[in-house]
Amino acid sequence: MYAKRLDKPGKVKLSDYDPGEHAKLKKEQGEEKLAELGAELAALQELMYGAGQHALLVVFQGRDTSGKDGVINKVIGLMNTMGCSVSSFKVPTELERDHDFLWRIHARTPAKGEVGVFNRSHYEDVLVVRVHNLMPESVWRARYAHIVHFEELLRDAGVIIAKFYLHISKDEQEKRLLAREAEPKKAWKLSPGDWKERGYWDDYTQAYEDALGKCAAPHAPWFIVPSDHKWFRNLAVAEALVETLRPYRAEWEARLAAVGAEQKTALQKMRSEAASG
Ligand code: AMP
Ligand code: MG
């Protein structure tokens, strides 16, 4: 698998993972593979929608410029967008701050059959909040357990969860920030705060290592995605999503067959009643 899958709590060291990894593939090969995976992903999504038993929640986290917007466009865009909803979580509003941190998140979780995509998520509440001391330590520390329980609740309600950490190097981030500065068409993406956040690189590393290490579970795995190469990042995310959904294929197909059979019986009954009446 191209991304590293973490599915149980443990110690995570991000420096163990190479953000520039590309599995010896060339860009063209990667794009071909992505197209194939995209077709399978769309087919699996359609089965999930038809079966109506599960939802898929996809979480994207990563530092500024790591490619959260890009991967949503390129990979989620391969699915039927009618069945997808994307939620981007920003600095909480006053109303949101007057509730518990999961209130605004829970409201955006996907219904059965649907795909919910989070561009940032509840994890900001143990990342930016921790790095900038926006809440006392006792508050953010308690949140790891809240998050674990919340994700268990979602699992019990039929939500399949895949969480992605888009892993970029410090050098690559500098390049991307400079590119945003230099190109008028990209400038809207740059906020002066991004350079300031970069100054907290090591604090974010520590916060991410804890978030990944404490909140990885079999039903809610984290995937560490090498993201210095955008095309490889897209490929790795698509592959992880396909592998996440594949195990459900037989179950969904069986459900669809059962629904089809029920429908046929109902139609036959209706027609024979119409004929005799
Ligand atoms: P962007 O994703 O570039 O539009 O930026 C959104 C900003 O909102 C980022 O700087 C996030 O760190 C910030 N943000 C998101 N969630 C929270 C949160 N729970 N508390 C504080 N800041 C947040
Ligand atoms: Mg930004």
Side-chain angles (χ1 to χ4, degrees), residues 145-216:
H146 296 319
I147 290 175
V148 168
H149 290 141
F150 174 60
E151 293 178 355
E152 284 171 357
L153 167 71
L154 295 179
R155 172 205 57 199
D156 292 348
V159 183
I160 301 164
I161 306 173
K163 303 177 294 192
F164 294 94
Y165 170 65
L166 306 182
H167 186 38
I168 53 164
S169 63
K170 205 171 176 185
D171 284 350
E172 181 62 25
Q173 188 192 51
E174 182 175 28
K175 270 190 224 158
R176 292 183 187 182
L177 287 173
L178 288 171
R180 284 181 181 186
E181 235 179 82
E183 271 187 53
K185 274 196 210 147
K186 285 188 179 171
W188 66 272
K189 281 193 165 192
L190 182 72
S191 93
D194 291 351
W195 283 108
K196 212 176 115 225
E197 286 308 281
R198 183 174 159 79
Y200 294 91
W201 185 274
D202 294 338
D203 295 327
Y204 271 106
T205 300
Q206 208 185 11
Y208 267 112
E209 287 176 345
D210 266 355
L212 271 59
K214 290 179 192 294
C215 304

Side-chain angles (χ1 to χ4, degrees), residues 9-209:
K11 215 174 148 41
V12 174
K13 228 173 105 206
L14 286 176
S15 57
D16 289 345
Y17 305 96
D18 177 10
E21 169 69 38
H22 56 89
K24 296 202 176 88
L25 292 171
K26 295 207 171 64
K27 187 177 175 186
E28 294 69 35
Q29 293 171 300
E31 287 173 345
E32 259 173 50
K33 283 178 187 285
L34 176 64
E36 284 166 28
L37 285 165
E40 187 174 354
L41 185 58
L44 285 162
Q45 179 205 9
E46 194 177 333
L47 281 176
M48 181 178 82
Y49 188 88
Q53 293 167 308
H54 295 91
L56 173 66
L57 174 63
V58 186
V59 172
F60 290 109
Q61 284 289 162
R63 302 173 198 263
D64 295 316
T65 77
S66 60
K68 299 183 288 296
D69 297 356
V71 82
I72 291 170
N73 187 11
K74 299 288 185 191
V75 180
I76 300 304
L78 298 171
M79 292 195 258
N80 183 339
T81 48
M82 274 196 298
C84 300
S85 64
V86 179
S87 305
S88 297
F89 293 99
K90 312 275 182 186
V91 177
T93 63
E94 206 180 324
L95 178 67
E96 288 169 345
R97 269 187 279 120
D98 283 342
H99 291 79
D100 70 85
F101 78 106
L102 291 171
W103 179 72
R104 64 173 184 164
I105 306 292
H106 207 163
R108 302 293 306 170
T109 52
K112 289 209 167 75
E114 291 177 354
V115 181
V117 179
F118 284 0
N119 181 355
R120 302 188 191 268
S121 66
H122 42 304
Y123 284 95
E124 290 294 323
D125 294 282
V126 289
L127 292 164
V128 65
V129 170
R130 169 174 171 167
V131 168
H132 291 292
N133 299 307
L134 304 180
M135 288 284 178
E137 176 164 355
S138 59
V139 171
W140 59 255
R141 277 232 175 261
R143 289 180 172 168
Y144 297 108
H146 296 319
I147 290 175
V148 168
H149 290 141
F150 174 60
E151 293 178 355
E152 284 171 357
L153 167 71
L154 295 179
R155 172 205 57 199
D156 292 348
V159 183
I160 301 164
I161 306 173
K163 303 177 294 192
F164 294 94
Y165 170 65
L166 306 182
H167 186 38
I168 53 164
S169 63
K170 205 171 176 185
D171 284 350
E172 181 62 25
Q173 188 192 51
E174 182 175 28
K175 270 190 224 158
R176 292 183 187 182
L177 287 173
L178 288 171
R180 284 181 181 186
E181 235 179 82
E183 271 187 53
K185 274 196 210 147
K186 285 188 179 171
W188 66 272
K189 281 193 165 192
L190 182 72
S191 93
D194 291 351
W195 283 108
K196 212 176 115 225
E197 286 308 281
R198 183 174 159 79
Y200 294 91
W201 185 274
D202 294 338
D203 295 327
Y204 271 106
T205 300
Q206 208 185 11
Y208 267 112
E209 287 176 345

